[in-house]
Amino acid sequence: MPTTKIAVIYYSSTGTNYKLAKWAADAADEAGNDVKLLKIKETAPDDAIDSNPDWKKHIDQTKDVPEVSLDDLEWADGLIFAFPTRYGGTPSQVQQFLDTTGGLWSKGKLANKAVSAMTSAVNTHGGQETTLLSFYISVMHWGSIIAAPGYTAKVLFKAGGNPYGVSVNAEAAITGDTELAVKHQAKRTADIAGALKGLAG
């Protein structure tokens, strides 16, 4: 049986969502899938980045992570996203990338792919749920299949209980339960992607 191809795609300014994406990629890889870990291009001006030492440090530390392309979306059977909330929606960097997918959408190249997402905010009620829900609107336009974790494992309750996708408080310590929840979501998304492979594209 052909290996399921999973693209784990993240945007992260200071590292929280990179950590979530790395856990997801590791879990999908450990489950025997063909995995790519990819970042969304940073579009913030240099002066904004330079004004935050943690932001600049993270960009330097992840300079060798390849940037996602439309070819990667077409290649993958399943897509796992991780990005922070911005005013209860997706960051501009993520939205700008999504806005380039019209060509794939018009050709049906994103239809029937399994997609799920994770997010973070600086506090517990900082817009995590609305961020994921607004992102999934684009996924529905693609014709992709949303592979949200729901409440399919007890660890999801321990990690905060967000049924739309794992979400974290970026200002707090991220626990081992969160890592387990991320890995469960990643494996679930990969399993659904594998089951859908014959329908994709």
Side-chain angles (χ1 to χ4, degrees), residues 9 69-76 79 97 101 104 110 113:
I9 301 163
S69 70
L70 296 179
D71 288 342
D72 295 312
L73 296 189
E74 187 170 358
W75 167 85
L79 305 167
F97 176 68
T101 62
L104 292 179
L110 300 174
K113 294 178 185 281

Side-chain angles (χ1 to χ4, degrees), residues 6-10 20-21 24 28 73 77-83 94 98 113-119 131-133 135-136 139-140 142 144-150 156 162-166 181-193 196:
I6 303 296
V8 181
I9 301 163
Y10 76 92
L20 300 181
L73 296 189
D77 301 307
L79 305 167
I80 301 170
F81 287 82
F83 48 80
V94 177
L98 296 179
K113 294 178 185 281
V115 182
S116 71
M118 300 169 281
T119 192
T131 294
L132 295 175
L133 290 171
F135 169 74
Y136 287 145
V139 173
M140 286 186 279
W142 287 348
S144 300
I145 307 301
I146 297 171
L156 295 167
N162 187 341
Y164 312 116
V166 173
V182 167
K183 291 184 172 182
H184 171 77
Q185 181 173 339
K187 290 175 182 176
R188 173 177 162 79
T189 304
D191 287 346
I192 294 171
L196 292 169

Side-chain angles (χ1 to χ4, degrees), residues 5 18 23 51 54 66 69 71 77 102 118 157:
K5 295 174 288 188
Y18 171 70
W23 284 338
S51 69
D54 291 334
S69 70
D71 288 342
D77 301 307
M118 300 169 281
F157 290 93

Side-chain angles (χ1 to χ4, degrees), residues 28-29 36 40 54 57 121 130 150 176 184 187 198:
D29 180 67
K36 292 183 180 182
I40 291 174
D54 291 334
K57 179 180 177 182
T130 56
H184 171 77
K187 290 175 182 176

Side-chain angles (χ1 to χ4, degrees), residues 81-102:
F81 287 82
F83 48 80
T85 181
R86 288 292 185 271
Y87 300 115
T90 55
S92 61
Q93 292 86 345
V94 177
Q95 191 59 50
Q96 183 170 341
F97 176 68
L98 296 179
D99 287 346
T100 70
T101 62

Side-chain angles (χ1 to χ4, degrees), residues 6-26:
I6 303 296
V8 181
I9 301 163
Y10 76 92
Y11 171 73
S12 189
S13 52
T14 58
T16 299
N17 285 277
Y18 171 70
K19 180 182 289 188
L20 300 181
K22 188 69 170 60
W23 284 338
D26 289 346

